[in-house]
Amino acid sequence: MNKLQNFQAIEFELPANLEAGEPPEARGLARDDVRLMVSYQNSDAILHTTFRYLDHYLEAGDVLIVNTSGTLNAALPALAPNGDQLELHLSTQLPAGLWSVELRQFTEAGTKPFYSAQAGEQYQLPNGGILTLLTPYNNGQRFGDNKVRLWVATVHLPLPLLDYLNQEGVPIRYGYVQDAWPSDYYQTVYATEMGSAEMPSAGRAFTAELITKLAARGVQIAPLILHTGVASLEDHEPPYEEYFDVPLETAELLNAARDRGARLIAVGTTVVRALETVVDKNGRFHPGTGWTDIIITPHTKVRSVDGMLTGMHEPNATHLAMLEAVSNRAHLQKTYQQALDLNYLWHEFGDLHLILPA
């Protein structure tokens, strides 16, 4: 059973003007000039500041766990067998050279709904690339007008993957982002290994200068990898498998921090998903690599972290289930109401929320 079927996310209306349609740099701001809401679960205290002052709210010994996956130019033009012009989104690279992908069709209204495709069809990609659909992904899950969202496919390219995507692809973007932005705007400063379909955006506001300030304060940084797939999940659609790598050094650092009573703070929902995959029932971390299909809901006991840094998530997003598991529903409702009242910005180019225990 889908663990999210009985989950009812907090409800709110997200005004269109609060959907960040451009990076803060386009508004004359630095990356770390976005707003930061700091909330404390035990007291429900809520503070408002700027992200560049993050170090003021962390303590010596705290550990920030970051996802160092880099963002691919995962959107490609595709030509259907009948001549329809489509956009292909490469989601997750699977074992045996396979991919999970989604196909979207442009409309006159500017939307990109899922395309009505069939198994066995071949689609032409730029410069001689070929996409072949094999079978629906995730047991053939269908949405809306009975179209399959994700497919298992083979992708044959004339160049190595990264070279091809850098030459022919662009970052995935959705309707609230009207203009195309260079791929540099979709990378975190600490990205080390390319592989995400969409940016692990909770870490976007970090700068080299801020990381230096955090280190000087005694805050440790622990890296891991989780290559994110496409984030355009339907309401209550469960997260799907994503590749992760938690190295031995990170597991040892986290165990040592826990032994001395330090706070472990995840930078983003992707970090929580990876860590919950490798933490045992006693709260001990183990190195691991592979594909995780773990689903985190308020009924799940989160053992891996004490707090998290996260963006603002849209109504009914499955990420809200994870936030309730890390925090609690009443606290989350208060913080989201303040974010709405104070015109915080949503999505990957928006503002951030630091949830701390006390």
Side-chain angles (χ1 to χ4, degrees):
M1 177 182 290
N2 178 355
K3 295 181 181 179
L4 293 172
Q5 286 180 342
N6 296 322
F7 171 71
Q8 182 61 50
I10 60 172
E11 296 182 0
F12 59 94
E13 294 290 331
L14 179 60
N17 67 299
L18 298 188
E19 298 189 87
E22 58 188 10
E25 295 92 319
R27 305 192 299 272
L29 302 175
R31 279 191 177 226
D32 57 1
D33 276 333
V34 296
R35 300 169 71 187
L36 175 67
M37 176 165 54
V38 183
S39 69
Y40 298 89
Q41 300 170 63
N42 292 352
S43 65
D44 276 342
I46 302 173
L47 306 175
H48 303 279
T49 183
T50 302
F51 188 78
R52 66 174 49 193
Y53 302 118
L54 174 68
D55 58 308
H56 294 192
Y57 301 91
L58 298 178
E59 303 168 357
D62 285 344
V63 180
L64 288 177
I65 309 99
V66 300
N67 181 4
T68 60
S69 176
T71 311
L72 301 170
N73 286 347
L76 292 162
L79 184 66
N82 64 1
D84 285 343
Q85 298 284 340
L86 309 176
E87 183 168 280
L88 166 68
H89 292 169
L90 298 176
S91 180
T92 301
Q93 194 163 17
L94 303 171
L98 302 176
W99 281 87
S100 64
V101 305
E102 69 174 13
L103 285 165
R104 291 180 175 257
Q105 185 173 22
F106 300 97
T107 69
E108 292 182 359
T111 60
K112 293 186 288 188
F114 308 135
Y115 185 65
S116 183
Q118 300 295 324
E121 290 181 335
Q122 287 193 337
Y123 294 76
Q124 301 301 311
L125 305 178
N127 195 21
I130 298 175
L131 168 76
T132 303
L133 302 183
L134 300 181
T135 187
Y137 180 80
N138 202 17
N139 298 318
Q141 201 160 21
R142 296 170 184 265
F143 299 95
D145 49 6
N146 205 36
K147 294 174 184 174
V148 172
R149 189 174 83 83
L150 286 173
W151 290 88
V152 177
T154 58
V155 181
H156 295 286
L157 304 175
L159 297 170
L161 176 67
L162 293 183
D163 293 339
Y164 183 82
L165 295 183
N166 287 337
Q167 177 177 301
E168 306 291 352
V170 296
I172 292 173
R173 61 188 173 98
Y174 297 104
Y176 54 84
V177 179
Q178 296 297 314
D179 299 321
W181 296 96
S183 58
D184 288 352
Y185 286 86
Y186 291 86
Q187 302 295 349
T188 59
V189 297
Y190 46 68
T192 60
E193 179 181 317
M194 303 299 288
S196 282
E198 299 186 19
M199 176 174 50
S201 55
R204 187 188 187 277
F206 282 94
T207 62
E209 293 78 10
L210 179 54
I211 292 173
T212 299
K213 287 169 62 178
L214 290 167
R217 189 170 179 82
V219 175
Q220 293 181 285
I221 307 292
L224 57 74
I225 289 282
L226 188 135
H227 292 323
T228 69
V230 291
S232 54
L233 302 180
E234 298 295 293
D235 289 354
H236 304 297
E237 180 183 359
Y240 39 80
E241 292 177 310
E242 293 172 314
Y243 177 82
F244 75 95
D245 181 10
V246 178
L248 174 62
E249 295 80 5
T250 290
E252 290 178 339
L253 188 156
L254 297 181
N255 286 330
R258 179 148 283 171
D259 288 343
R260 65 175 185 268
R263 298 185 300 185
L264 306 184
I265 301 165
V267 178
T269 57
T270 61
V271 167
V272 178
R273 194 179 199 202
L275 291 180
E276 285 298 306
T277 306
V278 299
V279 71
D280 64 27
K281 63 181 181 180
N282 298 315
R284 307 301 292 178
F285 296 94
H286 305 273
T289 185
W291 281 262
T292 179
D293 61 359
I294 192 170
I295 298 172
I296 302 169
T297 75
H299 305 295
T300 305
K301 178 177 175 57
V302 172
R303 299 184 174 94
S304 61
V305 298
D306 306 297
M308 69 183 300
L309 175 71
T310 182
M312 308 305 302
H313 300 288
E314 60 269 28
N316 294 320
T318 55
H319 292 313
L320 290 173
M322 181 186 293
L323 262 62
E324 282 197 32
V326 173
S327 178
N328 64 74
R329 189 180 187 88
H331 182 74
L332 207 58
Q333 286 176 318
K334 292 178 181 178
T335 60
Y336 267 66
Q337 188 58 58
Q338 286 211 16
L340 291 166
D341 292 344
L342 296 176
N343 295 322
Y344 272 65
L345 296 180
W346 259 249
H347 303 309
E348 67 267 28
F349 294 139
D351 298 315
L352 293 165
H353 179 194
L354 176 63
I355 304 172
L356 294 174

